[in-house]
Amino acid sequence: MRPTEEQEELRSTVRQLLARQPGPDAWGPLAGQIGAAGLAVPEEHGGAGCGPLEVHVVMEELGRALAPVPFLGSAVLTTQALLACGDAALLPALAEGRAVGALAWAEDGSWEPAAIRTAAHRGPDGGWRLTGTKDHVLDGADATLLVVAARTAAGVALFEVPADGPGVRRERLVPMDPTRAQARIALDGAAGRLLGTDGDGARVLARVRDLGSVALAAEQVGAAERCLELTVAYARERVQFGRPIGSFQAVKHRLADAYVQVEAARSIALGAAYAAAEGAAELTRYAAAAKSACSEASSAVAGETIQLHGGIGITWEHDAHRYFKRAHGSAQLLGAPAEHRRRLAAELELVPRQVA
C-alpha cells in the first residue's frame, strides 16, 4: 500500500503551507488554496470529491504540525454526518470554507448514541425544539453551522441548529490540549431542522465515528512521527559525559522501541484508511483497532519525547508538552482506547453489542 503521486504532492503542499503559516491562520489558505475544507465533499456539491486516503494524508500533516484548524470537526465529522444523512444543502458552504461546521454529539464524556439525552420535540408551530447540553464539541464556540444529535420519539436524529439562534448558549472550554478548540453547548428550546430521517441518527453517528476514528488515527501517527524526529535530533545533539546521549545503549533501545510503535501505528492507520476507501464491510473493526492502537502509540511516544529530552522537555519553551497534551487529549476523543477495544470485541462477537 503506497500513496499515489497525487497524494504525495498533497502531503508536500500541506506541509509547506503549514511551515509558512502556522497556527489558526492556516485554515484560510488550507480551505481556499488547497481545498481542504471540501476534500471529502463530492464534486457535484462543490468539493474535491476525494476520499479517506486523501483525508488521511492531510490529517497526518496536521498532526505533525499540531495545527489548530477545524479540519477534523468541520471537514470530517460534520461533513460525514451530512453525507450519511443524505442532506446536501449545507455541503457547498462547508466545501468552500464559507462555513465552519461543528457536530454536537457527546454527552457526559460518551460518544455512544445510547448516552444521548438531549431531547427534540415538536413545538406548537410544528417545528422541532431541542433541549440539552453537549460536551467536547470541536470548534463549537466559533462554528457557523451546528449539527446536533438529539433523541426523539423515534430514536436518535440529527438537526441543523442556528449557531447563534435563540436558546443556544456556547461556552468556550479550556481543555488540556489548547490546540484543539472545544466548547460546551447548552440548548434550551432551540429551533432545529431535521436532517435526513427521524430515528436514523444512531446509524449516521456510527458511520461518522468510524470515519472520524480513521482520520484521528492518521493525525496521531503524524504527531508521533514528529515526536520521534525531534527526539532523535536531540539525542544526537545533547552531550553528556563527553558523548551524545544517543550513543548510549539504553537511549538507543528506547528510540528503537518508539520507532517500532510509530511504524506499527502507521501500518494499522493506513490499513483502516484503505478499508474506508474501499467501503469494506468490516470498517468498524478496522477503525476501532486503529483508534485504540494509535492512541496508545501516540501517548507512549510523546511520553518518551519528554523523558529523553530531560528538563527542557517539561518547559513551556519546548514543544514536547504540546505533543504530550495532544496525544492524551486525542486518546479520549471519540472514545478511549479501552472503549474501542470493546467495540472491536463486539464486532468480533466476543461481547454483546450495545443497543442505541
Side-chain angles (χ1 to χ4, degrees):
M1 298 184 294
R2 296 181 62 85
T4 65
E5 182 178 343
E6 290 79 8
Q7 289 163 1
E8 287 298 346
E9 184 176 348
L10 174 62
R11 180 188 305 279
S12 176
T13 302
V14 172
R15 185 175 298 189
Q16 291 175 20
L17 189 152
L18 294 175
R20 291 195 312 268
Q21 200 159 3
D25 291 340
W27 182 240
L30 276 171
Q33 299 174 20
I34 297 178
L39 201 62
V41 176
E43 293 182 7
E44 60 265 30
H45 301 306
C50 297
L53 293 174
E54 288 75 21
V55 170
H56 178 97
V57 168
V58 173
M59 285 295 290
E60 268 199 6
E61 293 306 311
L62 295 178
R64 284 179 57 89
L66 296 185
V69 297
F71 184 84
L72 177 61
S74 184
V76 178
L77 300 182
T78 306
T79 294
Q80 293 298 339
L82 294 173
L83 288 171
C85 283
D87 192 306
L90 302 171
L91 290 175
L94 289 175
E96 295 169 14
R98 291 185 286 111
V100 171
L103 179 58
W105 173 4
E107 296 186 25
D108 296 325
S110 174
W111 277 265
E112 293 293 340
I116 293 176
R117 295 292 177 267
T118 295
H121 58 85
R122 294 281 191 180
D125 59 355
W128 290 96
R129 294 290 183 268
L130 281 68
T131 299
T133 301
K134 295 294 184 177
D135 297 316
H136 308 298
V137 183
L138 300 187
D139 308 295
D142 300 312
T144 56
L145 167 64
L146 290 182
V147 175
V148 180
R151 188 169 295 279
T152 71
V156 176
L158 269 66
F159 298 85
E160 176 196 359
V161 174
D164 294 315
V168 178
R169 181 169 57 85
R170 300 193 280 176
E171 176 189 355
R172 191 184 305 274
L173 301 178
V174 183
M176 176 179 64
D177 172 17
T179 65
R180 178 92 76 194
Q182 296 188 29
R184 176 178 294 113
I185 297 179
L187 306 170
D188 185 7
R193 179 179 73 88
L194 179 66
L195 298 171
T197 303
D198 187 8
D200 192 38
R203 179 195 64 82
V204 171
L205 292 178
R207 171 72 175 171
V208 173
R209 192 179 195 183
D210 286 344
L211 294 175
S213 295
V214 172
L216 190 53
E219 181 193 270
Q220 291 169 321
V221 169
E225 179 184 53
R226 183 57 181 154
C227 280
L228 181 59
E229 291 174 1
L230 292 171
T231 309
V232 169
Y234 182 76
R236 289 171 174 164
E237 298 169 357
R238 178 72 168 93
V239 174
Q240 188 73 19
F241 303 112
R243 54 193 284 197
I245 63 171
S247 66
F248 294 114
Q249 194 71 18
V251 175
K252 289 180 180 180
H253 285 166
R254 294 175 71 168
L255 290 173
D257 288 343
Y259 174 79
V260 170
Q261 288 178 304
V262 169
E263 291 306 309
R266 188 193 311 282
S267 294
I268 195 169
L270 192 57
Y274 270 93
E278 295 167 359
E282 303 86 1
L283 176 58
T284 295
R285 64 181 65 174
Y286 282 102
K291 178 58 170 62
S292 175
C294 293
S295 292
E296 294 184 337
S298 180
S299 295
V301 174
E304 285 287 49
T305 296
I306 289 181
Q307 289 289 324
L308 293 178
H309 273 78
I312 189 66
I314 58 173
T315 64
W316 286 101
E317 289 77 12
H318 198 278
D319 283 341
H321 75 95
R322 298 173 65 237
Y323 284 96
F324 186 81
K325 292 173 181 176
R326 171 62 72 90
H328 285 271
S330 296
Q332 302 303 312
L333 192 62
L334 300 181
E339 186 174 344
H340 285 276
R341 285 194 290 272
R342 285 194 294 271
R343 295 179 66 222
L344 177 58
E347 283 298 309
L348 297 174
E349 298 183 350
L350 299 178
V351 298
R353 294 174 182 271
Q354 185 170 1
V355 178

